[in-house]
Amino acid sequence: METPQQYEITGLGLSSNKYTVEQTGQDKNFRPEYEARNITGQTIFRCTYNTYEGETSFVDDDDNELLTIAPSGTLDIAGDYLLTDSQTGDDLVVLDNDFSFFVRV
């Protein structure tokens, strides 16, 4: 059995094991905006989901880019997503999305 690798994002200090991600609204182009918060409610990072532009950037409160996620295709139904550390340029992990439909409730 292999030892699990750590996937640390250079500019992001995660010290807790519980976080909340919520859609906070939409930008002027109607793209959904998200924030991740720790258990005390402090914003850890935020992003605007770029549905048709490919790569999406996650930034901190000072607008410093922390990481990017790039889909393998143009449709958000199924596909792979590559997470890259923006400060080092290192590819961290590929997330595999077998099949999903995003539905607003």
Side-chain angles (χ1 to χ4, degrees):
M1 183 182 248
E2 293 182 28
T3 304
Q5 292 181 340
Q6 293 291 343
Y7 301 105
E8 288 190 40
I9 300 164
T10 305
L12 189 60
L14 300 177
S15 58
S16 182
N17 62 358
K18 186 174 181 179
Y19 298 90
T20 303
V21 177
E22 293 181 353
Q23 183 175 349
T24 57
Q26 295 177 333
D27 71 358
K28 64 182 179 180
N29 296 317
F30 303 105
R31 297 177 299 187
E33 297 176 320
Y34 297 92
E35 284 187 0
R37 297 184 189 96
N38 62 15
I39 58 174
T40 65
Q42 176 188 8
T43 299
I44 305 301
F45 60 83
R46 57 189 165 76
C47 77
T48 300
Y49 182 64
N50 298 316
T51 309
Y52 301 109
E53 296 176 19
E55 193 171 278
T56 298
S57 297
F58 294 78
V59 298
D60 63 13
D61 281 340
D62 297 322
D63 287 329
N64 298 314
E65 189 175 281
L66 301 171
L67 69 127
T68 60
I69 185 167
S72 61
T74 56
L75 294 178
D76 197 13
I77 296 172
D80 296 335
Y81 298 85
L82 175 64
L83 265 61
T84 303
D85 186 320
S86 294
Q87 295 184 9
T88 65
D90 293 339
D91 294 338
L92 300 174
V93 66
V94 174
L95 303 174
D96 179 26
N97 181 21
D98 291 331
F99 185 80
S100 69
F101 285 104
F102 287 103
V103 179
R104 285 182 89 177
V105 289

